[in-house]
Amino acid sequence: MKTAATAVDVARLAKVSQSAVSRSFTPGASVSEATRERVMAAARKLGYRPNALARSLITRRSRIVALVMGYLQNQFYPLVIEQLSQQLQKQGYHVLMFISDGDATDNVLDEILQYQIDGIVMASAMLSPTVARQCADVGVPVVLFNRVPDLSAFGRHSTCSVTSDNLRGGQLAAELLLARGHRRIAFLAGLEKSSTNLERERGFGQALQAAGAGVYRRAVGHYSFEGAQEATRALFAGPGRAPDAVFVANDHMAIAAMDVIRQELGLRVPQDVSVVGFDDVPQAAWGAYRLTTVAQSVGAMVDATVTLLNEQMHDGAPPRNVVVPCRVVERASVRPAPVRSARAAAAGPSRTASATPARAGSRRAAAS
Amino acid sequence: MKTAATAVDVARLAKVSQSAVSRSFTPGASVSEATRERVMAAARKLGYRPNALARSLITRRSRIVALVMGYLQNQFYPLVIEQLSQQLQKQGYHVLMFISDGDATDNVLDEILQYQIDGIVMASAMLSPTVARQCADVGVPVVLFNRVPDLSAFGRHSTCSVTSDNLRGGQLAAELLLARGHRRIAFLAGLEKSSTNLERERGFGQALQAAGAGVYRRAVGHYSFEGAQEATRALFAGPGRAPDAVFVANDHMAIAAMDVIRQELGLRVPQDVSVVGFDDVPQAAWGAYRLTTVAQSVGAMVDATVTLLNEQMHDGAPPRNVVVPCRVVERASVRPAPVRSARAAAAGPSRTASATPARAGSRRAAAS
DNA sequence: TTGAAAGCGATACCAC
DNA sequence: GTGGTATCGCTTTCAA
């Protein structure tokens, strides 16, 4: 019982050759129904399971995809893990996790490549040129998730990528805030050099300019919770009038910003200040808020990633960059108050509270 | 360039035997400094990296640990992925993700075992007796994370487990609410048959009884966001007086409950209703709330998991169940309001707002 | 259809 | 310390 059964054991018991066992477990192989059944019976009796590692050694395909991520506080990324993992599982692939804190990516890549990975999804670490070259040398396809290849370092189409239409998203945010009649519109930036922030900010600025407006104030939150809190304080501490709207570069920061706006500054959202976020975080993250956001579609992004991986792994197609559209979404987690307390009533009628029904539903219970 | 270099290639270039190459890459092996350097030089030139799969085939250890999880909405679990993955990486192990929606666990296990996993961490799916037997047969150590082995099905110590001290945690919650002077204390349950819920509820009930009190009302939220919202409505819709405190079986649900209490019912937390949660979720999840919670220590739980894995994988020690203590924590994300609006001021002085400083800090920026 | 035999890329054990 | 050789468990020709 101590050591697992091998194909040879099964062959002996079934009185066939070991090759026959292998064939019986290979979908399209040439085996008679009789032998296959004998083999399967023996296999069941011995609890035999083909050794995926040995198989990979000869087929040169491990059916393992590496997923490289940084820190996971941004609730967007767990969704990615979950969905990507499930999609790949359906295709017989599996996800090997690599957590890398930014600079260590190059070292991590060394480990990755030892596992004879079939593909790499880089979801939140930077891909250094060195790393890209290494992958290309070994012939391992890379898909950049939510970030764009560094064009300065290598050719435009040497690496695949999946991103949201961050430029258009930034425009949408601006148009929305302008339409709401705001004129003192601030921007809370993420990591200034990241492609997501650059594009969102560019689209945002363009659309404001096109309307004859401009960014009223700007602060940098580095995509972190604490950074966003500080940045928000800065935005509202200026000498002139406070902003009447803020576009925040992602939801993670938007939530932090709303905390400060409401709890520290005592302002109401959205009555006193309009806040628009970006990303797609699960309901648990925005539960307490009426959050207007430019939502990325995690599902569409994951689908695209899987498609690209398949293209690269099987068809040897040329690398592509996929841009997924995003859309403005109004989130509200609870239905409008049936009982109004004195304090809630004082805030005026709860307009549009039920404008868009909560759309998280339908998922199974989380174990705890 | 298309096919990666092997140890034979390196050996040829370095003019040594292939064994020498292998030794050069084995930490404690017997190689002269001269040859090792020649080998390393050649390896560098060829971009050689030892094939982990081939190694695993002969060593019979893959240095891969399977992590089985259900849906990840509960923000507690991404933390587990992150920390477990990092800890194992430090030891040269890696995490292979398996997402399983509960019942499919048995099928998933089949896939797992094909990868010659060194160990399994089951973090949110149920471990059926069949599955446990299969693992035992193959000799793969299993650690149940945040759940306890099904004692009815097999012996007490046949499987390892790591849990919080849920019983004590439930007691702590009760004692806290009693100390605050509450007498109409409700309980919002998770999944009724899960060990976490059973223990938390038991400790809670015991402590209330010991004080001559009892559970004022009870509803079931199934550990889901929507379930918790419904349950909260039920708790407060009863015929008699509404509860003045609620102990919620986990933070994921606590957040949903607070939404309903504040936004639908127009009550204030904690002034009108005390809410106590359980778990340890990142700041982004409770940002908007002053959340009192019985915090599990993700770090300690992960540490214990790694320890158990090591024991099982290397030392062949007997399975153990580790119980990690938990403690009451008061969370507040923003500092007390320096500027008070009319409305905020009306709510009275912000007592204890700075009782416990926010303790999420110190983490790096999340990419987006 | 079937079985024998040659790898896949490494480690382990053996003499030297 | 070093090089040969068997071996890990499987897929894949190649004959029969």
Side-chain angles (χ1 to χ4, degrees), chain A residues 1 7 42 71 109-110 146 150 180 190 203 205 207 225 283 328 334-335 362:
Chain A
M1 290 301 163
Y71 292 113
L109 191 92
D110 232 78
N146 207 21
D150 182 354
R180 284 189 186 166
F225 217 84
Q283 184 178 14
V328 173
V334 290
R335 48 191 194 197
S362 77

Side-chain angles (χ1 to χ4, degrees), chain A residues 145 204 253:
Chain A
F145 188 95
F204 184 64
M253 292 198 302

Side-chain angles (χ1 to χ4, degrees), chain B residues 67 85 97 143 207 221 246 249 306 313 343:
Chain B
L67 176 56
S85 187
M97 286 289 316
V143 176
V246 186
V306 172
M313 295 190 301
R343 182 161 142 271

Side-chain angles (χ1 to χ4, degrees), chain B residues 173-183 185:
Chain B
E175 290 163 8
L176 175 72
L177 292 175
L178 287 169
R180 283 189 187 166
H182 297 292
R183 286 297 172 267
I185 306 178

Side-chain angles (χ1 to χ4, degrees), chain A residues 1-4 49-57 60 62-64 71-75 77-78 81-82 85-86 89 92 94-99 101 103 108 110-111 113-116 124 134 136-139 146-147 191 194 196 200 222-226 229-230 233 250 252 255 259-260 262-266 268 279 282-285 287-289 333-335 337-339 341 343 360-361 363-368, chain B residues 1-4 49-57 60 62-64 71-75 77-78 81-82 85-86 89 92 94-99 101 103 108 110-111 113-116 124 134 136-139 146-147 191 194 196 200 222-226 229-230 233 250 252 255 259-260 262-266 268 279 282-285 287-289 333-335 337-339 341 343 360-361 363-368:
Chain A
M1 290 301 163
K2 218 57 216 146
T3 173
R49 249 176 286 273
N51 183 329
L53 269 37
R55 172 187 295 138
S56 301
L57 191 55
R60 304 171 149 289
S62 62
R63 303 195 78 81
I64 296 179
Y71 292 113
L72 308 180
Q73 311 95 302
N74 184 343
Q75 316 289 351
Y77 288 106
I81 299 181
E82 180 179 329
S85 187
Q86 279 188 306
Q89 262 175 247
H94 291 279
V95 168
L96 197 59
M97 286 289 315
F98 292 86
I99 305 290
D101 42 355
D103 330 287
V108 161
D110 232 78
E111 305 175 22
L113 292 179
Q114 300 201 358
Y115 278 102
Q116 313 301 111
S124 90
Q134 284 181 290
D137 281 357
V138 194
N146 207 21
R147 44 210 10 85
L191 283 171
S194 74
T196 47
R200 289 167 196 177
H222 306 288
Y223 282 142
S224 82
F225 217 84
E226 295 76 20
Q229 293 182 342
E230 274 309 322
R233 292 178 191 121
N250 78 355
H252 186 65
I255 289 169
D259 283 353
V260 171
R262 301 200 322 180
Q263 309 211 23
E264 277 187 32
L265 308 176
R268 292 166 306 168
D279 257 3
Q283 184 178 14
Y289 314 83
S333 66
V334 290
R335 48 191 194 197
V339 180
S341 76
R343 184 160 142 270
R363 308 191 67 189
R364 302 272 294 273
S368 178
Chain B
M1 293 301 161
K2 217 58 214 148
T3 172
R49 248 175 286 272
N51 183 328
L53 268 39
R55 172 188 294 139
S56 302
L57 191 56
R60 306 173 144 288
S62 61
R63 303 196 77 82
I64 296 178
Y71 292 113
L72 307 180
Q73 313 93 301
N74 185 344
Q75 318 286 352
Y77 287 107
I81 299 181
E82 180 179 329
S85 187
Q86 279 187 305
Q89 261 175 246
H94 291 278
V95 168
L96 196 59
M97 286 289 316
F98 291 85
I99 306 289
D101 41 355
D103 328 287
V108 161
D110 233 77
E111 305 175 21
L113 293 179
Q114 301 201 355
Y115 278 101
Q116 312 303 107
S124 91
Q134 285 182 290
D137 281 358
V138 194
N146 208 21
R147 44 210 11 85
L191 284 171
S194 74
T196 47
R200 289 167 196 176
H222 306 288
Y223 282 142
S224 82
F225 218 83
E226 295 77 19
Q229 293 182 342
E230 274 308 322
R233 292 177 190 122
N250 77 355
H252 186 66
I255 289 168
D259 284 353
V260 171
R262 300 200 323 182
Q263 309 213 23
E264 278 187 30
L265 308 175
R268 293 165 306 167
D279 258 3
Q283 183 177 16
Y289 315 85
S333 67
V334 290
R335 49 192 194 196
V339 180
S341 77
R343 182 161 142 271
R363 307 189 69 187
R364 302 272 293 274
S368 178

